[in-house]
Amino acid sequence: METMQRRVHLAFLVFPLVVFGAPRDESSPPQFTTTLSGCRRCCDSLDAPGSSETSPGTNSPRSVPYVMPEVRPYINLTILKGDKGDQGEPGIPGKWGKEGPPGERGAQGPKGSKGQMGAPGDPCKHQYAAFSVGRKKALHSNEGYQALIFDTVFVNLYSHFDMFKGKFYCYVAGLYFFSLNVHTWNFKETYMHVMRNDQEEVILYAQPSDRSIMQSQSLMLELRENDEVWVRLYKRERDNAIYSDDIDIYITFSGYLIKPSLE
């Protein structure tokens, strides 16, 4: 019975060593120990020779010598690791690397389309403006507005008159004189406007007649820089047309600068 008690006590003392492990360093606090004068098996009697601490008549299990273990719990940090956090803000960009050597010259690309005519030079260098253009082909108006396009150039100083659009562009502000001449068509109406930008300035009109005649209109306009002057046809209830025979020129439009502005 006494032997069984000793085994129980020893098992209780050894169990923490198995679970928690033995102390890892020798710089721990002083341990409560009982010095043994010799080796002894756990099943020997407490009265066996070789024990210097045995007292006669003492059968208590507490008289068994042992080393008081130091309990150090071990925490496994891997099981406490949390979920992955959100991605942080990007850092400051690093320095630029060294510039590499230039590459080989590429193949020449296709030729681009011709651009629009540029504006003339500084108006201060020339204070003149004049144009006179004509048209050989007859023209009938369509259902809406139609710009009168010319095909013959008599004078086009500094190319202020755009032949593709049929418009005079003012690059020198000042007082201008304009004149429009057309030939009417038999039994057809002639209905035209001399325009400044999108505003009608004067009308050239002839009622239908059995005789075709020359009609003209002239005016003076004070223009600002970038103003546009052109001729517009418009069809109303009846046909609107101007005559020409592809040989002689019956249709002309002219203009010139009388006096530049002082600005």
Side-chain angles (χ1 to χ4, degrees), residues 232-244:
R232 185 185 73 179
L233 280 77
Y234 177 64
K235 181 179 180 181
R236 300 193 298 175
E237 293 84 4
R238 292 172 289 191
D239 289 337
N240 182 13
I242 49 180
Y243 174 79
S244 185

Side-chain angles (χ1 to χ4, degrees), residues 75 153 192 257 259:
I75 301 176
V153 177
M192 310 173 71
L257 175 65
K259 180 179 180 298

Side-chain angles (χ1 to χ4, degrees), residues 89-211:
E89 297 292 336
I92 301 175
K95 297 181 179 179
W96 286 96
K98 296 182 179 179
E99 185 177 358
E104 297 180 359
R105 184 175 181 179
Q108 184 176 1
K111 184 178 180 180
S113 57
K114 185 178 180 180
Q116 295 182 353
M117 182 178 61
D122 189 355
C124 297
K125 295 181 180 180
H126 53 81
Q127 297 293 330
Y128 306 99
F131 74 93
S132 182
V133 294
R135 180 183 175 94
K136 293 182 179 180
K137 296 181 180 180
L139 180 66
H140 286 76
S141 63
N142 52 25
E143 294 297 329
Y145 295 117
Q146 182 180 8
L148 179 59
I149 305 299
F150 299 87
D151 52 25
T152 303
V153 177
F154 300 112
V155 175
N156 191 8
L157 191 62
Y158 305 117
S159 300
H160 289 183
F161 190 90
D162 190 337
M163 297 295 293
F164 296 98
K165 296 182 179 180
K167 293 183 178 182
F168 168 75
Y169 290 89
C170 176
Y171 294 104
V172 182
L175 184 64
Y176 284 80
F177 176 83
F178 295 96
S179 175
L180 173 65
N181 296 274
V182 298
H183 196 282
T184 63
W185 201 305
N186 293 349
F187 305 106
K188 294 183 184 292
E189 186 179 43
T190 301
Y191 187 90
M192 310 173 71
H193 280 106
V194 177
M195 307 287 296
R196 175 166 55 179
N197 301 325
D198 293 329
Q199 178 67 35
E200 302 95 341
E201 294 294 342
V202 294
I203 186 173
L204 188 154
Y205 179 75
Q207 291 182 343
S209 174
D210 58 353
R211 294 190 307 166

Side-chain angles (χ1 to χ4, degrees), residues 39 59 159 188 228 230 233:
C39 298
N59 297 327
S159 300
K188 294 183 184 292
E228 303 172 5
W230 52 293
L233 280 77

Side-chain angles (χ1 to χ4, degrees), residues 39-85:
C39 298
R40 175 178 296 180
R41 294 181 300 179
C42 61
C43 59
D44 293 343
S45 174
L46 295 176
D47 298 332
S51 175
S52 61
E53 300 294 331
T54 305
S55 300
T58 303
N59 297 327
S60 172
R62 296 181 181 178
S63 60
V64 178
Y66 66 93
V67 178
M68 180 66 70
E70 180 182 1
V71 179
R72 289 188 179 183
Y74 171 73
I75 301 176
N76 189 356
L77 297 179
T78 58
I79 64 175
L80 300 179
K81 185 178 180 182
D83 297 334
K84 184 178 180 181

